Amino acid sequence: MFIGVLPNELVEVVLTEESSVQEYFVEMLHQAKTKGNIYKGYIHNIDAALQAAFINYGAERNGFLQIDEVHPEYYQGSYPLKKGARYPLIQKVLRPGQEVIVQVVKEPTGKKGAFVTCYLSLPGRYFVYTLGRDQQGVSRKIEDEKERERLKSCIDQISPPEGVGLIVRTAGIGRAKTELVRDYRILHRLWGEIKKKAQTEKAPALIYKELELAVRAARDYLTADVSEVWVDDPDTFEQIRDYVALAFPKSPNMVKLHADHDKTMWERFGLTRQVEQIYSREVTLPSGGRLVFDHTEALTSVDINSGKIGGEQSFAKMALKTNTEAAEEIVRQLKLRDIGGQIVIDFIEMKDPKHCRDVEKVVRQAMKNDRARTDVSSISPFGLMELVRQRLGSSAISVSTEPCPCCGGTGIRRNLEWQSLQAMKTIHRLLRRPGCPNPLQVPLGQELAIYMLNNKRELLTEMGARQDNRVEIVVDTKLP
């Protein structure tokens, strides 16, 4: 694990395996994360058509609360369920102005507000402490049946109060009962403090703030599999070292400080190129094929291009080899970029059904190492695979990029010839308008101005002469 810090501005976390970047997280402190935060808010309005309420919790845009995320303790009055319905009609059980305690599940994106829930959860080192659901369980990623039974027995002995659930995280593997009990008590005490604050604060108000990325990374991603943690900031190094001393007392020297001022930590460990590739639209595969990622509002598409792969005896073998490489790399890139929602992968056509099953198996096997919840379909007759992935947080791409001012995020723009003709149309109209100033000065962006002066100078002169006027192109650096 590598933790890079620019004090009071930026935190970057990279997880690598055999020098290959597996996960990348970034947090700019001026773009404060809200996922995991708990707020006391009030219902601003209710939309019966969506069966959802919009919650004012102090953010720029109201949070979106669906009826299935409303705890029954907030229902006002009794309302009989219709036959076959799982939930009552939201307009019958909630009222505008009603106060609720909510937690942000999904960050605001674009023009959409945050997705919020009344079912709260507090992540600890070994447990996730849940409120409103009496669910006791063990992470699905813990597959050893004996260990699962031991951990379930520990939960039974802890015996959490009614309305509180406990889920053992993967970090709980092999942990003694005393360590688990201590983690539970910390979380139980934290919930008591949150409840107390909720009673005194006036809505809308923040009543619990999630930890900053550096400490959160140590809590959530530091497992027994991690052999070294490198930090490039002395203060953060002290924080992480103290945390590791408690969590891993047998590995006191796990945390190391990068103090070389001639090289960045990324340069020292050869991570710069891999991190920069996360922002690229294209990713090159080992055999020469390419992946192309395109994002729309509804989904992400991944196209696989074979490139020039030599030495293959047949197209079928080439397609299988490229698709297999692509399957592994796509799963890795989904984690790195934290791409969530609907994802459609366009594999190179494979006519042999066995080859299709082999590629599907590679995708599912690679997905087992993803912390996000995923659902993968089979490859369709058109060579398409659909999958759904839970977004764990704001991706590095979303927090560090913005739409291009020239193309508006489309990736294309009108060429200079088209732009110049549109400018000529405007000039033609202005020259014929009564009271047109002489000379007529036309402000244009530098690139377009140079193009017109090089390619349209004679036309501009003729247009001006016909109206007994003169056209002057003026460079305006504020224009694209």
Side-chain angles (χ1 to χ4, degrees), residues 9-11 26-33 396 398-401:
E9 288 294 333
L10 175 71
V11 179
V26 61
E27 194 167 283
M28 289 185 281
L29 300 189
H30 80 281
Q31 292 181 329
K33 296 284 185 300
S398 67
V399 301
S400 61
T401 60

Side-chain angles (χ1 to χ4, degrees), residues 136-144 147-152 155 166-169:
Q136 321 298 340
V138 178
S139 168
R140 287 175 297 176
K141 295 189 185 294
I142 300 176
E143 296 177 348
D144 187 301
E147 181 63 7
R148 290 181 68 86
E149 289 302 319
R150 183 187 76 85
L151 292 169
K152 285 177 183 176
I155 295 176
L166 284 180
I167 301 169
V168 183
R169 310 181 73 176

Side-chain angles (χ1 to χ4, degrees), residues 236-252:
T236 308
F237 166 75
E238 296 289 345
Q239 268 185 300
I240 303 298
R241 189 176 62 177
D242 292 346
Y243 181 86
V244 168
L246 292 171
F248 297 92
K250 294 180 182 177
S251 306

